[in-house]
Amino acid sequence: VQLQASGGGLVQAGGFLGLSCAASGRTLTGYVVGWFRQAPGKEREFVAYINLGAVYADSVKGRFTISRDNGKKTVHLQMNSLKPEDTAVYYCAATSFGSSGYTMPAMYSYWGQGTLVTVSS
């Protein structure tokens, strides 16, 4: 599965952005799709994933929403009320293996290239 992340950019604090993760060649049906982010000098951290339902990191709960489109080739991450600490490169990832532990990057087999989100104060 090849993934393409898009939608990053520069936004002021309190603003919003929508990220997309598109799969080429097939749908994402049957895959758990996650979003992770990595700020400069920090480790990659979990943001959200979608399986039968959605799970969020505490730091983004209530502000971010992950969803799949009806054709199931794209997963979206709507980010509202953005904060400067949300600044990072955001990566989408997918896996069809396992039954738990989807907050961990090691669980994912496929990764997109990353898209930069910068939130100015």
Side-chain angles (χ1 to χ4, degrees), residues 7-62:
L10 173 64
V11 64
Q12 288 188 330
F16 61 90
L17 277 176
L19 304 183
S20 295
C21 178
S24 60
R26 61 157 297 143
T27 71
L28 291 170
T29 302
Y31 285 81
V32 176
V33 179
W35 284 95
F36 293 80
R37 65 188 182 188
Q38 188 164 17
K42 294 188 177 182
E43 293 187 352
R44 192 167 297 189
E45 67 172 3
F46 166 72
V47 174
Y49 74 78
I50 188 163
N51 190 6
L52 298 178
V55 175
Y56 300 92
D58 288 343
S59 60
V60 306
K61 200 173 294 182

Side-chain angles (χ1 to χ4, degrees), residues 17 52 58 78-79 85 91-92 111:
L17 277 176
L52 298 178
D58 288 343
Q78 179 64 36
M79 307 184 296
E85 51 263 46
Y91 299 88
C92 63
W111 289 84

Side-chain angles (χ1 to χ4, degrees), residues 1-6 19-24 26-36 46-57 65-69 71-77 90-98 100-105 107-112:
V1 177
Q2 289 188 317
L3 303 176
Q4 178 78 30
S6 62
L19 304 183
S20 295
C21 178
S24 60
R26 61 157 297 143
T27 71
L28 291 170
T29 302
Y31 285 81
V32 176
V33 179
W35 284 95
F36 293 80
F46 166 72
V47 174
Y49 74 78
I50 188 163
N51 190 6
L52 298 178
V55 175
Y56 300 92
T65 302
I66 188 171
S67 62
R68 296 181 190 263
D69 69 4
K72 300 191 185 301
K73 282 192 174 182
T74 306
V75 170
H76 304 281
L77 184 69
Y90 283 70
Y91 299 88
C92 63
T95 185
S96 59
F97 299 102
S100 63
Y102 297 121
T103 62
M104 300 173 61
M107 287 297 296
Y108 293 83
S109 305
Y110 309 100
W111 289 84

